[in-house]
Amino acid sequence: MKSDAVKKGISRAPHRSLFKALGFVDEEFDRPLVGIAVAKSDIVPGHIHLDTVAKAAADGIRMAGGVPVQFPVIGVCDGIAMGHEGMRYSLVTRELIADSVECMALAHAFDALVFIPNCDKIVPGMLMAAARVNIPSIFVSGGPMLAGRGRGGKTLTLTTMFEAVGMVSAGTLSEAELAELENTACPGCGSCSGMFTANSMNCVTEALGMALPGNGTIPAVMAARLRLAKKTGMQIMETLKEGIRPRAVLTKRAFLNALTLDMALGCSTNTALHLPAIAREAGITLDLKILNEVSAKTPNLCKLAPASATAIEELDAAGGVPAVFFELAKKNLLDLDAPTVYGKLSGALKNAANHNENIVRPIHKPYSATGGLAALWGNIAPDGCVVKQSAVAESMLTHEGPARVFDGEDAAFAAITGGQIRPGDVVVIRYEGPKGGPGMKEMLAPTAALAGMGLDDKVALITDGRFSGATKGAAIGHVSPEAAVGGAIALVKEGDRIAIDIPARTINLRLDSAELAKRKAVWQPPVPAAPAGSYLERYAAQVGSAAGGAVFGAV
């Protein structure tokens, strides 16, 4: 056992004395030491209950003959960080999480790992760590929040709240009604209840083969979540016995399965950042071209919040991710022989069925013939950009309008809520990329304000930053190269015409190359936004382009 390095032999008597200070008994030194990386905290609704999930996983490990040892992992609540300086500190934690898990796992010679994340950057950060450390590993998330219920049983999610801010600005909602919504939209623990980034990544983890079926959809408050955690603890001992390591699971086949599920579900655009970053840790290259190749052959089978009022709990009742697998398998769109931590992906279909074809469309009757995400290219984004096309109104799939240019989210949000944006405009928010932000802020506030003001089907928004999975509308993010390195988005002027054609996968500034070159010649790099000596300064210096997953050391 790997853990023998800290447990066995005369020279390890000092080490054993420290274990005994923790309450260990001699019999435990003969059993595998399983680390439980748990992101429990009291500031993240998706994480406040993870101690109970971790306890269930630990119970499973003990039942199967292992010794569980918990250690903490940080996590930012994107919703609480949204719309202020705190959002710069969200994406940047992905690298900190991966690095810290590597340190803990290797310093203490764990034989295996159980990862317990739930929210946005925590899931990919832990998956990156699993691939990097490459000891037997398995995931079980904390599960999604139940949807809130408003008057008349109306489904409420966090998106409702951000859009309500725009409705108050537009005069269509009173402050008293806003207060009523904020008391009911988020009813308890769990990751926010739409197909936002957290739930997208927890579902995708099933397709990657790193979690048992149910990981992405069983609600946080259900006993089935604890039973799943217990089964996960038991399974890691079998995974360890079989010697299954993450890099044997995280193959190109797994990532293609993950992208296929992503397209069928209509997942968050953030998956286009996270999957390439995870793949890189496993020695695999994913690019935006692959995203479009998978999208072209994968039908969109689900419209979950924010694309509709359907919450994750309804997908779970319909059969969860296995129900989507069930439909995709009818046209051989999945590699069911791909390895997983429990055998082959086909094992997820053992009891799979589609229990509600209104939630998971049959494969022959999809919402669209192509997937939920699309990558676009053009002279404003020569390295590409990403849009959640399944959440775009049909009238906005092609659009041309005048640029309304803002150097940063705050100025754009003030203009939107101040009534300065008109139907037909293309809002441009720049200097919010990985380096320029720094930290590549999510911009749910401006997109939700547009939706709340009834402009999401009349106005496009493009940015070198990114969007929450809760965003809907013609919101195009990850424009690369970003403004801070002199990308073409930095050269846009107020009133320039921008043409967007999502079906054709193009986005162009209506200027010729000579004019762009003339503007580039006089462009000046911005003053660095990060405070001197801060982690953000170090992050900006190391992070690469969003087109490559915004990873360290990438160009």
Side-chain angles (χ1 to χ4, degrees), residues 20-263:
K20 289 183 176 180
L22 297 170
F24 275 55
V25 295
D26 288 336
E27 288 80 0
E28 289 179 297
F29 295 132
D30 295 322
R31 300 180 181 186
L33 191 63
V34 181
I36 301 178
V38 56
K40 152 72 180 172
S41 76
D42 291 342
I43 190 60
V44 185
H47 291 191
I48 193 169
H49 65 303
L50 293 189
D51 51 346
T52 62
V53 178
K55 181 182 182 302
D59 289 344
I61 292 167
R62 287 200 181 278
M63 283 193 291
V67 180
V69 182
Q70 293 185 35
F71 63 92
V73 174
I74 66 166
V76 166
C77 176
D78 278 21
I80 294 174
M82 196 75 66
H84 62 96
E85 188 69 13
M87 182 41 69
R88 300 193 191 283
Y89 287 90
S90 172
L91 180 62
V92 303
T93 63
R94 192 184 67 183
E95 270 55 40
L96 288 174
I97 289 164
D99 291 349
S100 64
V101 171
E102 173 193 354
C103 292
M104 291 295 289
L106 299 183
H108 300 105
F110 293 130
D111 295 299
L113 290 168
V114 174
F115 290 90
I116 304 180
N118 213 21
C119 293
D120 296 20
K121 282 0 120 287
I122 298 85
V123 185
M126 287 187 176
L127 282 164
M128 290 166 68
R132 186 188 304 173
V133 174
N134 200 35
I135 62 175
S137 301
I138 195 169
F139 281 66
V140 59
S141 76
M145 183 186 295
L146 295 177
R149 298 296 168 187
R151 295 181 183 182
K154 180 182 177 182
T155 298
L156 307 177
T157 70
L158 185 64
T159 302
T160 309
M161 293 309 308
F162 279 95
E163 291 180 359
V165 173
M167 294 170 70
V168 172
S169 298
T172 58
L173 189 76
S174 70
E175 290 190 29
E177 290 170 319
L178 179 68
E180 181 180 328
L181 287 174
E182 74 180 57
N183 286 326
T184 53
C186 298
C189 67
S191 48
C192 297
S193 58
M195 188 50 74
F196 311 150
T197 305
N199 293 324
S200 294
M201 289 306 304
N202 285 325
C203 288
V204 160
T205 302
E206 291 188 45
L208 286 172
M210 291 298 294
L212 297 177
N215 179 71
T217 61
I218 297 172
V221 296
M222 292 181 67
R225 174 60 53 181
L226 298 181
R227 294 197 297 271
L228 180 68
K230 207 168 287 187
K231 289 286 188 182
T232 298
M234 297 168 71
Q235 180 60 49
I236 190 57
M237 300 307 297
E238 188 64 26
T239 302
L240 174 60
K241 179 182 175 182
E242 296 294 325
I244 301 171
R245 294 172 180 263
R247 288 183 202 168
V249 173
L250 295 172
T251 63
K252 186 70 170 284
R253 301 160 73 186
F255 285 100
L256 291 176
N257 281 337
L259 282 170
T260 299
L261 178 70
D262 188 326
M263 297 303 163

Side-chain angles (χ1 to χ4, degrees), residues 213 322-327 329 334 336 342 345-353:
V324 184
F325 288 168
F326 177 79
E327 294 295 342
L334 292 171
L336 295 176
Y342 53 85
L345 191 66
S346 57
L349 284 170
K350 184 177 180 181
N351 299 306

Side-chain angles (χ1 to χ4, degrees), residues 197-508:
T197 305
N199 293 324
S200 294
M201 289 306 304
N202 285 325
C203 288
V204 160
T205 302
E206 291 188 45
L208 286 172
M210 291 298 294
L212 297 177
N215 179 71
T217 61
I218 297 172
V221 296
M222 292 181 67
R225 174 60 53 181
L226 298 181
R227 294 197 297 271
L228 180 68
K230 207 168 287 187
K231 289 286 188 182
T232 298
M234 297 168 71
Q235 180 60 49
I236 190 57
M237 300 307 297
E238 188 64 26
T239 302
L240 174 60
K241 179 182 175 182
E242 296 294 325
I244 301 171
R245 294 172 180 263
R247 288 183 202 168
V249 173
L250 295 172
T251 63
K252 186 70 170 284
R253 301 160 73 186
F255 285 100
L256 291 176
N257 281 337
L259 282 170
T260 299
L261 178 70
D262 188 326
M263 297 303 163
L265 285 174
C267 289
S268 164
T269 51
N270 280 315
T271 60
L273 281 177
H274 300 321
L275 285 173
I278 298 161
R280 184 172 182 265
E281 295 284 357
I284 295 166
T285 299
L286 290 184
D287 58 29
L288 294 179
K289 290 181 180 179
I290 293 175
L291 184 149
N292 274 356
E293 288 170 8
V294 175
S295 181
K297 63 183 181 182
T298 308
N300 179 220
L301 302 180
C302 299
K303 279 196 180 293
L304 303 159
S308 75
T310 303
I312 295 295
E313 65 203 69
E314 295 172 84
L315 174 60
D316 187 64
V321 168
V324 184
F325 288 168
F326 177 79
E327 294 295 342
L328 293 169
K330 292 177 181 178
K331 287 197 174 181
N332 299 314
L333 293 174
L334 292 171
D335 183 345
L336 295 176
D337 289 328
T340 72
V341 292
Y342 53 85
K344 295 181 178 180
L345 191 66
S346 57
L349 284 170
K350 184 177 180 181
N351 299 306
N354 184 356
H355 300 299
N356 189 337
E357 293 185 351
N358 292 319
I359 303 299
V360 180
R361 285 278 186 95
I363 195 73
H364 64 275
K365 193 181 177 182
Y367 285 103
S368 63
T370 56
L373 299 186
L376 316 179
W377 285 267
N379 66 353
I380 198 171
D383 291 345
C385 54
V386 181
V387 62
K388 187 173 183 175
Q389 62 179 352
S390 60
V392 179
E394 188 173 353
S395 61
M396 290 297 293
L397 290 173
T398 58
H399 179 76
E400 181 172 335
R404 304 297 310 281
V405 184
F406 303 94
D407 291 347
E409 177 191 15
D410 293 346
F413 183 71
I416 292 167
T417 56
Q420 298 174 34
I421 304 302
R422 300 285 181 262
D425 287 348
V426 179
V427 176
V428 177
I429 304 177
R430 62 192 182 191
Y431 296 106
E432 292 288 10
K435 286 183 177 293
M440 203 177 183
K441 291 162 66 177
E442 282 187 348
M443 282 172 274
L444 177 58
T447 59
L450 286 171
M453 297 172 76
L455 292 171
D456 57 304
D457 60 351
K458 301 175 184 67
V459 170
L461 190 154
I462 71 171
T463 181
D464 53 5
R466 62 195 179 93
F467 299 110
S468 164
T471 288
K472 65 179 181 180
I476 299 165
H478 310 189
V479 171
S480 301
E482 63 175 288
V485 299
I489 192 172
L491 312 178
V492 183
K493 293 182 179 179
E494 188 83 5
D496 286 345
R497 303 288 295 182
I498 296 175
I500 299 162
D501 191 331
I502 295 173
R505 306 299 192 246
T506 62
I507 179 168
N508 284 290

